[in-house]
Structures are given as C-alpha cells and as structure tokens.
Amino acid sequence: MENTTNDTHRYEQLEMGDMETKLQGEREHKRRSWDNQFSFLMAAVGSAVGLGNIWRFPYLVSRYGGAPFLIPYFIILILVGMPILGMELSIGTFFQAGDADAFGSINPRLRGIGVGSILGAYIITFYYTVILGYCAVMLCQSFQPADKVQWIVLKGPSENLVNVMYGYNASIDCSVTDGTEVEGCPHPEFNWAVYLGVLFMWVVIFFSIFKGVKSTGWVVKFTVPAPLIIILVLIIRAAALKGAGTGIMNYIFKWDPTELSNPDIWGQCIGQVFFSLGICMGIMTSYSSHNKKDSTNVPLNEKIISLSDAGIALMSGFAIYEILGNQAYLQCEEESAAAALTNSTFNFESCMKTSSLFKQSSFALAFDVFPKGLAKLEAPQFWGVLFFGCLILLGVDSAFSLGEAMIIFVKDSSLGLRYRFKTWTVALVACIVGALGGLLYVCGGEDGIAYLGTVDNYVNNWCMVLIGFLQCFAIGWVYKVETQYEMVGKLSVWIYNIGFTASLLVGTFYATIANHKALVKATDDDTFNPNQGAILGGGLGIFFGGWILSTALASFLAEDKDLPFTTKLWGIVGWHGADDLRVRANNTVRDVAADGKWVPNTLRSELEALYRHDCYAISFGFLIKYFCYALLLVITIRNILGDAMSEAVKGDKAIVGQLIFATIVLIVAIIAVFPRIMYDPKHSKKSDTLGKLTWMFTPLPVETDAGA
C-alpha cells in the first residue's frame, strides 16, 4: 500500500510538472514580442513615471533638507528599488510569462503571489483613473474664457481645490469645510463631471492596450516624450519669473544635513522609490515577458528604467518650484506693501523662505496652488492646457500599464490558452469593470475622496509591500532550494530558514509594540522618551541572536559532515535562486565563444560583474534574499500594527480597504494550499470534473527549468 501511494505521488508530481511545461510552451509559442527595445523601454519608463514624480517627489526633496534628501533616496534606490526591479525584469524575460505564471513556473504554490500583485494593481486603476478624471475636468476648464475658469476666478487659498473635488459651483466660494452649508453649495451626491473624465480615461486606456504590446508600443512613443517636452517648456518659461531662483533654492539648492537624522526621511524614501518604480504590481514582469529572452540586456534595462524615473522626478521639481517661487514673491510683495502702509517692519527674504506655498503637495499642489500660479502668467489657459495635459499623459501611461498586466494574466492563464481570448475582448471587459469600480470614488462628494485615501493606504501600504516581501521570499528562499537540499540536507535548510524569519518576526513585533507604548506614554507626559534607542537595540538583538543560533544549529546538523566550512555555509545561507537569474542575465549578452561563460562566485567573474553596467554583481542575490526581504517584512508589520494600534483601522470606510486586503491575502493563501485551482482540469489526466477535490492536494511538482 505504501509503495502504491508513493508511486501515485510521483505520478502526480510528474503530471503537474509536465502540465506546467506544456502551459509555458504554449505561452512562449503565442507570445508577441516588442518591435524593438526602444518601445519596451518607453513603455517601462512611462509606467514608472507618474503623478508622484510631479506632485510628491519635489515636495519631499524640499521638506527634508533639499539636496541631503537625495543621499538616502539614492541609497534606497540602489539597495531596494533596483534589485527588486531587476528581479521582476529577469523572471519576466527568462520565464516568458506575466507575474502569476512566472512565479507559478518556479512553484505552482507561488502562483498566488503573482495573482495578488496583479489584482492589487488592477484595483489601483479604479481610483487612479478618478484622479486622472479630475485632471480631465481641469483640462476642459482651461479651454473656457478666463472669467469662467475656476483656478483663475477664485482667489482663496483652497476654494478651487474644494470646488473641483466635490463638484460645487465654480463661481461661489465653497471652501468652508466645518460643516456649514453655504448657499449654492449643496452636498453633491454624484460628481458627473469627474466621472465623465473617468470614462474618457478608460476609453484612452482601451485604445492603448487593445492590441497588446503592439498598440502600447505605438502609444508610448508619444505619451512618454510629450510630458518631458512640456516640463522643459515650463522650466524655461518659469525661469524668467521673479522669485524663481528662490523657489529653486527652496527645492534642491539648500543644505540642511540635520534632516538626515530624522527617521521619517528613510520611510519617505522607501515609499517614493517603491511605488514610483511600479514594482510588485505585475507591470514590469508583464512588460519584460514580451522581450526576447536570448538577447535582452536585463541589467542594463534595470538601470535605464530606474535612473530615468529618478531623473524625470528631479527635473519636474524645477518647473514646480519656479512657479511656486514666483507665487511666493508676489504674495510677499503684497504683504510688504501692506506693511509699508502701517509703517511695520517686514523681512522680505524671510517671508520668501518661510512661505507655506513651498509645503504643498498632492491634490492641493496639482489642483489649487500650481494652477493659481499659472493664472498669473500671460495666456493662463494655454499653460493650463499644457500642465493638465502633462499630468494626464504621465498618469495614463501608468494606468494602462496596470491594465496591461491584468490582460497578460488572463491570456496566459490556462483558461485563456484554452479559449484563445482576443486581446481586445479582454481589454474591453477590463476597462468596463474598471470604469464601474471608479463609481465609489466619485459618489457623495468628500466621501468619495475619503474612500480613495483609505483604499490607497490599504492597497499600497499593506498589500503591495506584503507582495514585495513574498516575491523576495519566492526568489530568495524557495527558487532553487533543492540545490541547498543536495548540499547540506533538508533539515539544515529548514532550521535555518525558519530560524531567520522567526527571529526577524519576533524582533520586529517586540520593537514595534514596545515603541508604540513608549510613544503613547511620552505623549501623555509631554516628554521625550529616552528608551526608544534601547527598544530598537533590543529588537535587533533578538533578530541577530536568533539568526546566529539558527545558522550554528543548521551547520551542526548538516548531512555531509566532511564538507568544507565555506561550502557548507554557502549551502545553508546562499542565494541560489537569485544567482540562477544572475547567471542567465550576465551570460545573455556575453560573447561566450570569445570570453567564456560567466560563472558566479569566482574572483574573476565577480570583479568583472562589479564594474560592468550590463551585469548583476554578487550583491544582487544578497539584497533580494536578505536586505529587501527583511526590510519589506518589517515595513509590512509596522504598517499593519501601526494602523491597528491607532484610529486608522476604524470607521466604515476602512472596512472597504480591509476587505480588499483580506481578499488578496486569502487568494494567495488558497492557491498556496490548493495549487491545482489555477489549472484547467482538461490539462490533467485525472477527472475533468470538479466534483472531487482530492486533486487539489497534489504534492509539490518536480521543478522545470524555464531557461532550458
């Protein structure tokens, strides 16, 4: 009986592995490639560069000391953003599949990671297109006569923002937000103007992706360079305005190194890098899956995309702060004149440096402060058309890339391969569902905006960071783990893996909870808590202590006692999966006949990889398996516990975000337990009905080498 059971298990393992190979072969056979690498890079850069490059990054630079902010920003970009981006580009290129099927090719139980990333990214499009809908409303206003344009007519500090967001009458100041009902400003039930803009955005998205990468490749050749030209024009025009120089000084040419000691600056850098690059959303994996795996220079693409994103963000800040500097100048000029009438002293330079205009970001910057700065230029409607057109072009690239990831997921699935869905039909359904999903965010005036902020917190700060952690887990700790088993034995590997992660979890929970209690006490007593450093040290002590103990125990229990210590240590702690991706990437563009095959972990090869721009260095694997893995797990726990221990998780609006998060986590977990859910039963030799669910409990399949 035991032999029969083992034979059945081996049969099911081979069957599931053969099924995965068959599905992957079908995907590669039908996959359309980019016309050229330029089209791919334009699409990838367009996806990475979005609204945050305009309305968030410049503010962060100014807020955190100017140029010193760039030090932690580029550290995080190099240590976190670029390795994860390179990982996604690699698995997309070498497995020739979108996020779900790429991770499914590593292990069918990991397919849920890709499903979760794509579903989370798709939900983001529901409210991202609503923001673009607001941009469309402002763009349409810019074509009207000057006396009917809100951001020209209304002069108050927040009138235009409130009116646009909540759909109030443009000719009335509706900026009172304390509950007082202003005549002519009824509480709107539905913002039709914005929703028409949303529908228009989905039409644009449909025609951008209805032919897959073919139509996307055409569109990005306009939507990516056009905003850059507009930003450059704004920089040149605004440079001649009074106060523009002071604005630039407040942006980047100031030096306040004390901000580097502010722990918040690192969290802000991580958020900006993580979400600006569009990683962990299935986009880069999907796009790179249409590259030719035998000739694509993946490491070079990683550097071009990430550095282009950072460069465009830096450039856009000059245009923003030149306009803000001019506004501050005119505002201080008025205050100076008023002070002169009363013979009061007035410091013009101090007024410029401390202007509240330099502290604006997000909606307030894009829909209120900056447009009012454009209103002071000649032909303000013209500049309004350029600015809001620029926002739409920047945003629509990111929006349709999120939709493209969903389309690739559907077409790569066994269902899509079976029924051969047309790309335009999948795109049409995705756009219709997305347009309906946006209804929540344009209903009930300010309620819609509140839902947008709440859902964004749960999807971005909870879901996407968790998905990033799981991706690093898949590549760093699961992929090629059988190589470790062969070197030191399964028991040693499991002891080390569980010990490392458990130590990290316990240390993080301790530090987060203890620090929260200390902060509450410090707030109650209105005193500074001197124990925060000790709490952090305690958490790190728990982590490193557990790590060292698990490493020592795993080494002691290794099966082959005669292995050299360094070989045994590498078998336990090594990043074999990341190294496999590194070997493929570094050998793809190499002249093997002339230079020989690149081999990892040798002095000559590693020195060569260290200085070549088209190679991954040895740090790539370490960062994926350890640094990014640990950092994203810590951030996930801190985000969830931090919200749970505050008021952020309470209220009816929070329930929507919590349900989305719980659904994505549940999907990932169910697929991990029942991997056959994602397969068409007709690909299996078992019963083609779902009446018996025993086929879901098949053991893990024999791994198939996607690069073979």
Side-chain angles (χ1 to χ4, degrees):
M1 182 67 181
E2 183 179 352
N3 291 337
T4 303
T5 302
N6 290 337
D7 290 342
T8 302
H9 282 183
R10 282 194 294 270
Y11 167 79
E12 290 176 337
Q13 286 178 321
L14 290 172
E15 177 195 355
M16 201 169 181
D18 291 343
M19 188 191 315
E20 182 59 50
T21 304
K22 180 178 180 180
L23 292 177
Q24 185 175 330
E26 291 183 30
R27 289 194 300 266
E28 293 188 23
H29 179 70
K30 296 292 183 180
R31 202 160 209 84
R32 181 191 294 272
S33 298
W34 295 96
D35 292 337
N36 47 60
Q37 275 295 285
F38 179 76
S39 296
F40 162 73
L41 289 172
M42 285 291 99
V45 170
S47 174
V49 178
L51 298 177
N53 295 70
I54 290 284
W55 72 22
R56 189 170 187 269
F57 178 83
Y59 160 75
L60 292 177
V61 175
S62 176
R63 165 64 181 82
Y64 291 100
F69 174 83
L70 300 180
I71 297 174
Y73 172 77
F74 278 104
I75 289 175
I76 295 299
L77 178 66
I78 294 170
L79 297 184
V80 180
M82 294 175 71
I84 295 180
L85 174 62
M87 176 185 70
E88 294 194 346
L89 294 176
S90 297
I91 62 176
T93 301
F94 299 130
F95 289 101
Q96 291 289 284
D99 230 27
D101 288 284
F103 285 102
S105 297
I106 294 172
N107 189 305
R109 297 187 189 277
L110 301 178
R111 192 182 298 269
I113 298 174
V115 176
S117 69
I118 293 167
L119 181 58
Y122 184 52
I123 291 172
I124 290 174
T125 62
F126 294 177
Y127 61 82
Y128 198 81
T129 49
V130 172
I131 299 174
L132 295 179
Y134 290 124
C135 296
V137 170
M138 300 290 280
L139 177 65
C140 292
Q141 286 184 8
S142 301
F143 287 100
Q144 299 179 24
D147 59 350
K148 294 184 178 180
V149 178
Q150 289 192 85
W151 47 273
I152 296 178
V153 174
L154 300 178
K155 304 298 182 183
S158 62
E159 298 164 8
N160 182 63
L161 174 65
V162 175
N163 282 26
V164 171
M165 291 291 140
Y166 304 154
Y168 293 138
N169 191 327
S171 61
I172 302 173
D173 178 6
C174 299
S175 59
V176 178
T177 58
D178 59 0
T180 305
E181 185 170 318
V182 180
E183 185 177 355
C185 300
H187 188 285
E189 295 299 325
F190 191 82
N191 197 330
W192 281 105
V194 171
Y195 194 63
L196 288 175
V198 172
L199 293 177
F200 172 72
M201 287 298 106
W202 279 109
V203 171
V204 173
I205 291 171
F206 172 76
F207 283 106
S208 299
I209 62 178
F210 80 109
K211 287 190 176 181
V213 295
K214 184 176 182 180
S215 56
T216 301
W218 296 337
V219 172
V220 294
K221 290 175 183 177
F222 169 74
T223 58
V224 174
L228 303 184
I229 295 172
I230 293 173
I231 292 171
L232 185 60
V233 170
L234 285 171
I235 290 174
I236 295 172
R237 173 64 186 91
L241 299 174
K242 294 181 179 179
T246 304
I248 294 175
M249 288 297 297
N250 273 277
Y251 166 49
I252 199 169
F253 291 116
K254 65 178 180 180
W255 186 264
D256 185 5
T258 59
E259 287 293 343
L260 292 175
S261 62
N262 185 348
D264 290 343
I265 192 173
W266 296 93
Q268 295 291 351
C269 287
I270 292 170
Q272 179 64 30
V273 168
F274 198 81
F275 302 119
S276 179
L277 284 177
I279 52 181
C280 304
M281 297 183 182
I283 303 168
M284 296 304 175
T285 311
S286 299
Y287 274 173
S288 62
S289 70
H290 293 278
N291 283 327
K292 297 177 180 178
K293 67 178 181 180
D294 297 326
S295 59
T296 300
N297 193 329
V298 179
L300 181 60
N301 288 346
E302 169 220 67
K303 295 174 178 63
I304 292 174
I305 295 167
S306 55
L307 295 179
S308 295
D309 176 68
I312 292 170
L314 279 168
M315 185 177 74
S316 65
F318 286 91
I320 297 295
Y321 274 82
E322 284 175 353
I323 295 292
L324 294 182
N326 177 247
Q327 284 182 272
Y329 179 88
L330 297 176
Q331 189 179 79
C332 292
E333 201 173 48
E334 292 178 2
E335 294 178 12
S336 176
L341 293 176
T342 58
N343 294 322
S344 303
T345 58
F346 183 81
N347 189 323
F348 193 90
E349 183 178 351
S350 177
C351 174
M352 287 285 290
K353 289 183 177 180
T354 60
S355 176
S356 62
L357 293 169
F358 297 128
K359 301 177 182 179
Q360 301 297 324
S361 66
S362 191
F363 286 100
L365 174 65
F367 300 131
D368 187 62
V369 176
F370 196 81
K372 287 178 180 176
L374 297 178
K376 296 176 173 61
L377 302 178
E378 305 86 357
Q381 296 100 314
F382 169 76
W383 297 107
V385 168
L386 286 185
F387 176 67
F388 293 113
C390 176
L391 290 182
I392 290 174
L393 291 174
L394 286 173
V396 78
D397 286 331
S398 300
F400 69 62
S401 66
L402 296 170
E404 183 88 40
M406 174 59 74
I407 292 172
I408 291 174
F409 164 65
V410 173
K411 288 179 66 65
D412 278 353
S413 68
S414 58
L415 194 64
L417 293 172
R418 177 183 178 185
Y419 291 103
R420 298 291 190 269
F421 295 131
K422 297 291 185 182
T423 302
W424 72 267
T425 58
V426 180
L428 182 62
V429 173
C431 290
I432 291 174
V433 173
L436 294 175
L439 287 170
L440 175 66
Y441 308 106
V442 294
C443 292
E446 54 264 43
D447 288 340
I449 301 301
Y451 275 116
L452 192 154
T454 302
V455 173
D456 180 65
N457 176 58
Y458 282 98
V459 176
N460 269 326
N461 296 334
W462 287 31
C463 285
M464 293 296 101
V465 178
L466 176 61
I467 291 296
F469 159 74
L470 292 175
Q471 288 187 353
C472 293
F473 166 74
I475 298 299
W477 299 83
V478 178
Y479 185 40
K480 294 297 180 181
V481 70
E482 71 283 349
T483 302
Q484 295 178 268
Y485 292 163
E486 293 173 0
M487 295 177 69
V488 296
K490 184 178 292 187
L491 178 62
S492 289
V493 174
W494 276 83
I495 288 175
Y496 174 77
N497 291 357
I498 294 174
F500 178 90
T501 302
S503 302
L504 183 61
L505 283 171
V506 173
T508 303
F509 272 103
Y510 164 77
T512 302
I513 295 173
N515 188 56
H516 174 76
K517 291 180 178 179
L519 287 175
V520 170
K521 181 179 178 181
T523 302
D524 292 341
D525 298 340
D526 196 25
T527 59
F528 173 73
N529 173 45
N531 297 321
Q532 292 185 41
I535 291 171
L536 177 61
L540 290 174
I542 293 172
F543 165 57
F544 283 111
W547 187 5
I548 293 171
L549 286 175
S550 61
T551 305
L553 184 59
S555 178
F556 177 76
L557 295 175
E559 289 183 356
D560 190 347
K561 304 296 183 181
D562 297 327
L563 274 179
F565 176 74
T566 54
T567 304
K568 183 189 299 183
L569 187 64
W570 177 249
I572 295 171
V573 308
W575 38 89
H576 303 270
D579 258 4
D580 181 72
L581 297 180
R582 205 159 63 99
V583 169
R584 297 188 193 186
N586 291 356
N587 279 311
T588 297
V589 294
R590 185 182 181 86
D591 187 349
V592 178
D595 302 328
K597 188 176 181 180
W598 189 89
V599 180
N601 306 320
T602 62
L603 181 62
R604 179 180 177 182
S605 293
E606 295 300 350
L607 288 175
E608 180 184 358
L610 192 63
Y611 70 80
R612 285 186 56 164
H613 65 278
D614 57 353
C615 284
Y616 286 133
I618 193 171
S619 58
F620 174 77
F622 173 80
L623 293 172
I624 292 296
K625 180 165 184 174
Y626 291 107
F627 187 78
C628 295
Y629 174 82
L631 181 66
L632 295 179
L633 179 58
V634 170
I635 293 174
T636 300
I637 294 173
R638 288 180 62 86
N639 285 345
I640 295 175
L641 287 183
D643 286 350
M645 292 184 292
S646 67
E647 300 295 320
V649 296
K650 299 179 180 179
D652 57 337
K653 295 179 179 61
I655 294 176
V656 177
Q658 291 164 8
L659 285 175
I660 292 173
F661 176 73
T663 300
I664 292 176
V665 171
L666 188 62
I667 289 173
V668 174
I670 289 176
I671 295 174
V673 177
F674 308 128
R676 281 184 176 270
I677 287 176
M678 296 298 296
Y679 289 102
D680 185 342
K682 290 194 174 181
H683 280 93
S684 173
K685 296 178 181 178
K686 288 182 173 289
S687 172
D688 59 359
T689 67
L690 298 180
K692 296 181 180 180
L693 301 182
T694 54
W695 54 274
M696 292 182 180
F697 295 90
T698 305
L700 293 178
V702 176
E703 182 193 350
T704 57
D705 189 352

